[in-house]
């Protein structure tokens, strides 16, 4: 049996991960003097509430090698091969911690994928890997597929407010003020293992069609699912979902929620989709 392991930045819901049989190792979230385990003692709803209320900007930390050692050891004891899909090594030390644990255990039954992604695009890889495991594929087959697909998976998301980009130092106060006055919404994605800006949209009415158009023009491989998600923004999600009605035809459509890692920088209101590029 193959066990898929991911981390809490995959932004799949707890219910979905459990349905897939995927194990999730949480990152730690530091807010003020408090430390939380992402998705364990800090839900997305609680996180965004604290993000609005706290003066201190949240930070995150990777799981320790010891944490991974315990999780891996249990899987090996259960005679399971393991495929791990983790947040980009350019954003976190999670992959490094996992590799240290693997080396301590001295096993060839653990395959670690540096996804070069985060949030919905990483979650889509986890979904595909879990389906392959259910279909009886070997750990090596799943690992090889992920190493290929991680270069083809795409994220296309829109930021509702510039406030948190300003707070996080990614946007100057002047640029944030001007952008807010002009009703500008950045479009973000993942490039070379890092979150990047793909463009800007002026006005929310254009936002949903722009996300759809960018995905269609990029080219979507219809043999894989599409994953839609949002950050405490059900109304925005519903509008994007409706705008993509024809895009969703005859495709498997999945759901995710932006969590603390991306949410700390973008704030609530983000909406987007992930897909495999044709």
């Amino acid at each position: 049996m193959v066990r898929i392991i991911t981390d809490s930045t995959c932004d799949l819901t707890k219910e979905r991960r459990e349905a897939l049989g995927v194990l999730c190792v949480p990152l730690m979230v530091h807010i003020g003097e408090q430390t939380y385990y992402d998705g364990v003692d800090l839900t997305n709803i609680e996180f965004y509430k604290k993000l609005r209320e706290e003066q201190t900007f949240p930070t995150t930390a990777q799981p320790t090698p010891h944490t991974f050692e315990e999780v891996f050891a249990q899987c090996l004891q259960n005679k399971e091969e393991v495929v791990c899909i983790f947040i980009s090594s350019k954003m976190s030390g999670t992959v490094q911690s996992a590799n240290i644990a693997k080396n301590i255990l001295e096993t060839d039954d653990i395959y670690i994928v540096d996804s070069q992604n985060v949030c919905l695009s990483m979650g889509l890889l986890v979904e595909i890997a879990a389906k392959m495991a259910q279909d009886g594929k070997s750990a090596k087959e799943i690992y090889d597929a992920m190493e290929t697909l991680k270069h083809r998976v795409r994220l296309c998301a829109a930021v509702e407010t510039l406030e948190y980009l300003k707070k996080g130092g990614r946007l100057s106060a002047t640029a944030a003020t001007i952008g807010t006055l002009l009703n500008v919404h950045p479009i973000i994605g993942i490039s070379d293992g890092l979150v990047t800006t793909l463009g800007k949209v002026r006005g929310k009415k254009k936002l949903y069609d722009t996300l759809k158009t960018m995905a269609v023009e990029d080219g979507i491989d219809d043999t894989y699912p599409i994953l839609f998600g949002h950050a405490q923004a059900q109304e925005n999600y519903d509008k994007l979902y409706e705008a993509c009605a024809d895009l969703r035809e005859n495709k498997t459509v999945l759901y995710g929620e932006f969590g603390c890692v991306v949410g700390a920088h973008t704030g609530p209101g983000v909406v987007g989709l992930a897909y495999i590029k044709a």
Side-chain angles (χ1 to χ4, degrees):
M1 178 180 173
V2 177
R3 177 69 68 182
I4 306 300
I5 298 179
T6 189
D7 64 66
S8 57
T9 70
C10 73
D11 289 354
L12 299 179
T13 65
K14 179 181 179 182
E15 293 75 17
R16 182 58 181 168
R17 295 194 308 266
E18 290 177 349
L20 294 170
V22 171
L23 294 181
C24 180
V25 180
L27 270 71
M28 289 171 281
V29 184
H30 305 298
I31 305 177
E33 299 298 320
Q34 296 293 318
T35 297
Y36 305 89
Y37 287 94
D38 182 19
V40 178
D41 53 6
L42 182 69
T43 66
N44 282 347
I45 292 174
E46 291 167 338
F47 167 73
Y48 285 107
K49 183 175 185 294
K50 290 180 182 296
L51 188 64
R52 293 184 182 99
E53 295 174 351
E54 295 284 344
Q55 297 300 313
T56 306
F57 200 74
T59 59
T60 58
Q62 71 264 24
T64 65
H66 178 68
T67 299
F68 281 118
E69 187 180 352
E70 289 184 330
V71 174
F72 291 163
Q74 185 62 55
C75 291
L76 296 175
Q77 186 177 329
N78 295 338
K79 308 298 183 184
E80 296 173 333
E81 288 186 297
V82 175
V83 178
C84 304
I85 303 170
F86 294 137
I87 180 176
S88 171
S89 59
K90 293 183 179 179
M91 301 183 198
S92 168
T94 300
V95 168
Q96 182 182 24
S97 288
N99 275 311
I100 291 171
K102 176 184 175 179
N103 292 336
I104 291 172
L105 293 170
E106 297 181 335
T107 177
D108 294 325
D109 291 331
I110 298 172
Y111 296 81
I112 297 174
V113 179
D114 175 358
S115 75
Q116 292 291 293
N117 279 272
V118 71
C119 63
L120 300 185
S121 50
M122 182 174 131
L124 182 55
L125 294 177
V126 173
E127 285 270 4
I128 295 169
K131 180 63 166 59
M132 292 181 70
Q134 291 173 349
D135 291 343
K137 301 296 183 182
S138 70
K140 182 64 165 59
E141 287 175 311
I142 297 171
Y143 171 79
D144 288 343
M146 293 302 105
E147 284 294 318
T148 297
L149 289 176
K150 74 182 189 182
H151 299 293
R152 293 174 54 200
V153 69
R154 298 289 185 269
L155 169 70
C156 194
V159 178
E160 183 173 59
T161 173
L162 302 178
E163 178 184 353
Y164 298 93
L165 291 171
K166 180 186 71 176
K167 285 184 176 180
R170 293 174 177 266
L171 193 67
S172 71
T174 301
T177 300
I178 294 173
T180 300
L181 289 172
L182 295 176
N183 199 15
V184 169
H185 303 280
I187 306 295
I188 60 172
I190 310 292
S191 178
D192 195 27
L194 293 169
V195 178
T196 187
T197 301
L198 302 177
K200 297 176 183 177
V201 179
R202 188 172 178 182
K204 283 188 71 172
K205 287 185 178 180
K206 297 179 181 178
L207 189 153
Y208 310 106
D209 285 335
T210 299
L211 289 175
K212 173 190 170 182
T213 299
M214 291 178 76
V216 170
E217 290 180 350
D218 194 30
I220 299 174
D221 188 332
D222 293 340
T223 59
Y224 294 99
I226 298 177
L227 179 60
F228 289 85
H230 66 96
Q232 298 297 296
Q234 187 65 48
E235 182 180 348
N236 291 352
Y237 174 87
D238 291 342
K239 289 180 179 178
L240 175 63
Y241 199 78
E242 181 181 350
C244 294
D246 56 338
L247 186 153
R248 291 186 280 109
E249 287 183 7
N250 303 316
K251 295 184 182 71
T252 300
V253 177
L254 303 169
Y255 172 78
E257 296 177 354
F258 287 90
C260 68
V261 172
V262 171
H265 298 287
T266 60
V270 182
V271 65
L273 68 158
Y275 54 93
I276 302 295
K277 179 177 170 61

